[in-house]
Amino acid sequence: MTADLLQYASSGVTIGAVYALVALGFTLIYNSTHVANFAQGDFAMLGAMTTVFAVAGGLPTFPAAILGTMVAGVAGLLLYRLAIDPARSSPVLGLIVLTIGASIFAKGVAQLVFDKRFHSLPSWFDARPIELFGATIQTQSLVVLAGTIVIVAALATFTTRTLLGKGILAVSQNSLAATLMGMNVRSVVTLAFVVSAAIGGLAGIMAAPITLTSYDAGTILSLKGFAAAMLGGMGNPVGAVAGGIVLGVVEAFGGGLISSGYKDAFAFLIILIVLAARPQGLFGSVARERV
């Protein structure tokens, strides 16, 4: 029984780390535009599918992963410049609908460029699984966890130690004040879209050796990433990471102990309970406005 619980915990933390990265992308975009980008999961799909086909074409894994990340970043750039920016004066709901349309468009393009089949990547490192108290931990799970830690640390350093990163934080706090201080808000938001898309692409690439990917894999990742962001507190980067881990662990234990057919239901049930008791999420703060 202990081995099973450890196995569930390992699986949950691994998939939760992927959800955390997708949720982090949601948070970046939300903080800079106050829009929930439902194409975020499709960036992960584009990164993974590009890497899969680049590897199949003979490119080594790491250069292929870089290419996949770049493709995802370019997709984020195009989404902002061709869809969100021209419609920036529209209501927030209209912009959210635009991201849903972009998600559908990305699936159609991926279907034409790639195919409709499921694909997987080989593990990044050719090493035997680790046996720990009867549980088997895949080396790729360690890659996902280590990669998530590095990405979160790099993003934290970028947003607190660099001028561009501080610009994203300034725009998230008050875009009008940032504009009055001479900041090019359009460029800053463009950067936020590119960075969030690249993070999504990396999440998809790291997860591809563990979970299958396909042209429509982004849909469930978008839903889980959004759920994780809401669970942790929309707009809170720490909450996004924590929400992703909690979501993954609940999903793994619910599927393992009760039924794998209901693992998605368990995760969303926890979200409903948390948001009913604490609408601002686990790490969110109650907004107060002086009138």
Side-chain angles (χ1 to χ4, degrees):
M1 187 61 179
T2 302
D4 291 337
L5 294 178
L6 186 58
Q7 191 72 62
Y8 300 150
S10 171
S11 300
V13 171
T14 300
I15 193 63
V18 176
Y19 295 159
L21 290 179
V22 177
L24 202 57
F26 268 101
T27 298
L28 275 173
I29 299 304
Y30 180 81
N31 281 342
S32 57
T33 64
H34 297 291
V35 172
N37 176 24
F38 283 97
Q40 186 65 33
D42 294 283
F43 297 146
M45 175 273 294
L46 287 173
M49 291 292 280
T50 300
T51 304
V52 165
F53 277 79
V55 169
L59 198 63
T61 300
F62 289 105
I66 294 173
L67 176 62
T69 304
M70 291 175 62
V71 168
V74 170
L77 172 65
L78 293 176
L79 171 61
Y80 178 69
R81 287 299 177 91
L82 299 182
I84 304 299
D85 187 44
R88 62 184 178 275
S89 59
S90 301
V92 171
L93 181 59
L95 296 177
I96 292 175
V97 172
L98 267 179
T99 67
I100 295 173
S103 173
I104 297 171
F105 178 76
K107 291 176 181 59
V109 171
Q111 196 174 178
L112 293 174
V113 174
F114 304 117
D115 58 33
K116 298 181 180 181
R117 295 184 295 170
F118 288 94
H119 298 275
S120 181
L121 278 172
S123 180
W124 287 22
F125 299 101
D126 187 17
R128 296 180 61 183
I130 300 171
E131 298 290 337
L132 184 62
F133 300 111
T136 301
I137 301 176
Q138 300 292 331
T139 54
Q140 189 63 30
S141 295
L142 301 179
V143 170
V144 172
L145 294 177
T148 299
I149 293 171
V150 169
I151 291 170
V152 171
L155 184 62
T157 302
F158 172 71
T159 53
T160 58
R161 300 295 180 88
T162 68
L163 187 61
L164 287 175
K166 291 178 180 179
I168 293 177
L169 292 179
V171 171
S172 70
Q173 293 295 321
N174 192 320
S175 60
L176 178 59
T179 302
L180 293 176
M181 292 297 292
M183 188 173 297
N184 189 331
V185 173
R186 185 169 181 258
S187 296
V188 171
V189 177
T190 300
L191 177 64
F193 267 84
V194 172
V195 171
S196 71
I199 290 174
L202 275 172
I205 294 166
M206 289 190 298
I210 300 173
T211 61
L212 297 176
T213 186
S214 67
Y215 78 97
D216 61 349
T219 301
I220 192 64
L221 282 175
S222 289
L223 291 175
K224 294 294 180 67
F226 178 71
M230 290 293 294
L231 181 61
M234 198 64 167
N236 187 322
V238 175
V241 175
I245 299 298
V246 170
L247 194 66
V249 170
V250 168
E251 186 178 286
F253 274 90
L257 296 176
I258 302 176
S259 172
S260 60
Y262 297 105
K263 62 183 181 68
D264 293 332
F266 296 133
F268 286 113
L269 178 61
I270 290 296
I271 294 170
L272 289 175
I273 294 172
V274 170
L275 293 184
R278 188 177 171 82
Q280 68 270 30
L282 295 175
F283 294 87
S285 56
V286 178
R288 292 182 173 88
E289 184 176 352
R290 178 174 293 181
V291 295

